[in-house]
Amino acid sequence: MKEVVFYYDVVCPFAYMASRLIEGVASRNGAKILWKPVLLGGLYKGTQAPQGAAGSAYDSMSAAKIKILADDLKRSKLHYGIEGTAPSEHPIKTLNPMRLLAAAAHANQDVCVPLTHKLFAAYWVQNKDVRESSVLQESASSVGWKVDIDEMIGGLGKEKLLQNTQEALDRGSFGVPSFWVNNELFFGVDHLHFVERALGNKSAAPPRFHPTPTEPRKSKLTIYHDFSSPWSYIGSTQISKLLTEVHPVSVEVEWVPISVGALFKMIGTPVVPMRTLSEAKREYGNKDLQDWAKYRGIQFQFTSHFPIRSILPLRVTLANPDDRLRQTMYEAGWRYDRDIGDPKVLSSVLTEAGFDGEALIAATQDQQIKDQLRKNTDRAFATGLCGVPSYQVNDGSVLWGQDRLNVVADLLCGWEDDLKPSNHSKL
């Protein structure tokens, strides 16, 4: 029988969402789930993850990224129809509840699953302190598991939680929720369609919940991007398809090229964030790029010129915002591995595509072009961006990442996320 191994910790809100959705994925595809409680802090420690140095993934994040992720969590729960609010104390150390769950998983998966749901709900819905023995005892009793909580936590649970966490590390997991199908890792609740595809459903896709309107309406889509980002490239290839998908919505598209390196400096993020990640997370990031490129049906290779010096192509697209010109530069950098930061190379790329390469390179020295790039980047900062690609629908809240284009489509079609736009000037 097909199997999904699910590693989780109740402290993670995205693991909570995954726990509510994974059973549907398994049921649709005739698979069983092996529930594996782990200690998230142990994964951070084991991978020497900088972001987990003080016990939380938020430890080294900029305020901008924290705000974006908080909004994304609220939007995702609303999108999926999952209840829950942020606990009054978060994050907490979940050693005891995870030990209890590890003991339950070893003793009987039929006990572990309802107890997992009970503890997730206690923390994320009922705002209970799941570290308290009384909460753990009540939760265990409510699912028919009559055990001595302290004995389980101090004995079998301690042993099995260590084993599960080490097992996850040995396989290559670095966080939760992590899913393994056929020895392949998929990380994050937003990758459940990849889990489903690995189980055999090749039509699985990121979900859309809001219907496309039958009558024409107008919407605006703002796209912040930078040629230095492979994710910006992947996202850029999907906009034409997106506009077709939401028809008869008439979409005004505004492309806003920004210097993401300058933005990172403004918000206090390393200029090349990839280099600060743990080795396990970097390796998965490379796999994830390939997975998304394959899913999107595009040709992609990671450039040998990373990090791409993108100021020149950014200025070129400001001098001439032609859609084909923009994609020519993206493909040159991320499909054909050409150094688009080199003026001679970029001039050749543009000339080969039928543009006046020399004239466009010369235009990048115009002071108005330089000033516009700075203004765009300042605008991105003021809007609350933490990276690219980022999207706004009708000047609303910011969505970060090409993996949110399904939500962008719903917003274009009239869905409302009830979130207010960010404003870094107030940070």
Side-chain angles (χ1 to χ4, degrees):
M1 187 178 188
K2 293 179 286 188
E3 181 180 84
V4 180
V5 181
F6 173 33
Y7 294 103
Y8 63 96
D9 185 331
V10 296
V11 77
C12 175
F14 296 102
Y16 163 55
M17 290 181 59
S19 73
R20 296 286 300 273
L21 300 170
I22 187 61
E23 288 173 300
V25 170
S27 177
R28 287 193 297 272
N29 294 278
K32 71 174 183 178
I33 307 167
L34 187 58
W35 298 71
K36 288 274 189 172
V38 297
L39 192 65
L40 181 56
L43 295 181
Y44 287 157
K45 183 177 180 180
T47 56
Q48 298 181 323
Q51 67 266 39
S56 169
Y58 292 99
D59 292 342
S60 64
M61 290 183 187
S62 66
K65 188 172 182 179
I66 291 172
K67 175 66 165 63
I68 290 289
L69 292 181
D71 282 353
D72 186 63
L73 176 61
K74 293 175 185 176
R75 187 186 298 110
S76 296
K77 287 193 293 187
L78 184 63
H79 205 228
Y80 282 104
I82 294 175
E83 62 179 338
T85 57
S88 55
E89 185 180 354
H90 177 75
I92 63 172
K93 293 185 178 180
T94 52
L95 183 62
N96 284 350
M98 297 318 296
R99 282 181 175 179
L100 181 64
L101 285 171
H106 178 75
N108 187 343
Q109 283 271 313
D110 290 338
V111 169
C112 176
V113 176
L115 182 57
T116 293
H117 289 309
K118 199 76 177 178
L119 290 177
F120 266 126
Y123 187 55
W124 288 105
V125 180
Q126 300 158 4
N127 195 23
K128 293 183 178 180
D129 188 345
V130 294
R131 296 168 296 187
E132 295 290 336
S133 294
S134 59
V135 174
L136 297 178
Q137 188 69 66
E138 176 191 359
S139 298
S141 298
S142 70
V143 299
W145 198 32
K146 308 299 183 182
V147 294
D148 185 312
I149 295 297
D150 293 332
E151 181 179 333
M152 282 293 166
I153 289 173
L156 181 64
K158 180 179 181 180
E159 174 191 349
K160 294 304 176 183
L161 184 61
L162 282 170
Q163 287 182 3
N164 287 355
T165 304
Q166 189 60 52
E167 174 188 292
L169 287 168
D170 291 343
R171 298 189 75 167
S173 292
F174 50 85
V176 296
S178 288
F179 311 94
W180 287 84
V181 181
N182 300 325
N183 290 319
E184 185 175 5
L185 170 63
F186 302 100
F187 172 68
V189 67
D190 51 4
H191 284 59
L192 282 174
H193 66 289
F194 282 136
V195 172
E196 195 154 356
R197 292 171 77 89
L199 291 171
N201 180 7
K202 300 306 181 183
S203 64
R208 288 215 31 216
F209 296 109
H210 193 84
T212 300
T214 56
E215 299 294 329
R217 57 170 289 159
K218 293 182 179 181
S219 286
K220 177 186 176 183
L221 173 61
T222 304
I223 304 170
Y224 299 88
H225 71 106
D226 187 335
F227 295 97
S228 66
S229 166
W231 297 111
S232 273
Y233 162 59
I234 293 175
S236 73
T237 67
Q238 301 303 300
I239 302 307
S240 294
K241 179 181 178 182
L242 173 70
L243 300 183
T244 300
E245 182 181 336
V246 301
H247 182 78
V249 179
S250 175
V251 183
E252 173 194 349
V253 180
E254 178 190 19
W255 291 84
V256 183
I258 70 167
S259 170
V260 76
L263 175 67
F264 286 159
K265 290 180 180 179
M266 295 166 79
I267 65 175
T269 293
V271 175
V272 187
M274 187 180 297
R275 291 177 176 171
T276 69
L277 301 177
S278 67
E279 182 179 353
K281 196 166 187 177
R282 281 199 306 273
E283 288 181 1
Y284 179 77
N286 291 330
K287 171 190 179 296
D288 199 31
L289 281 166
Q290 297 295 337
D291 285 348
W292 275 105
K294 181 179 179 181
Y295 172 74
R296 298 296 193 193
I298 62 172
Q299 297 296 313
F300 168 82
Q301 63 173 317
F302 199 90
T303 179
S304 62
H305 307 288
F306 187 81
I308 290 176
R309 297 169 295 163
S310 61
I311 295 298
L312 189 63
L314 288 167
R315 290 177 181 172
V316 166
T317 198
L318 284 168
N320 182 353
D322 180 81
D323 288 344
R324 188 173 70 85
L325 181 145
R326 183 191 317 108
Q327 289 311 117
T328 293
M329 292 190 288
Y330 264 124
E331 289 195 0
W334 293 106
R335 179 177 179 179
Y336 299 112
D337 194 26
R338 300 182 71 175
D339 186 2
I340 59 174
D342 183 299
K344 291 183 179 179
V345 173
L346 185 57
S347 180
S348 295
V349 166
L350 296 172
T351 300
E352 291 164 13
F355 299 97
D356 189 337
E358 289 188 8
L360 284 168
I361 297 298
T364 64
Q365 299 307 305
D366 185 283
Q367 191 60 46
Q368 287 186 326
I369 295 294
K370 295 179 180 180
D371 291 344
Q372 188 60 54
L373 183 57
R374 293 191 187 96
K375 289 178 182 178
N376 285 0
T377 306
D378 288 343
R379 173 184 170 186
F381 172 77
T383 303
L385 268 66
C386 70
V388 291
S390 287
Y391 310 94
Q392 278 184 291
V393 175
N394 299 324
D395 299 318
S397 61
V398 175
L399 294 93
W400 176 40
Q402 63 82 36
D403 51 2
R404 295 298 183 266
L405 285 174
N406 58 316
V407 185
V408 170
D410 278 349
L411 289 167
L412 289 170
C413 290
W415 182 64
E416 296 183 1
D417 62 10
D418 298 325
L419 298 175
K420 296 180 180 179
S422 301
N423 188 336
H424 275 185
S425 64
K426 297 180 180 179
L427 292 178

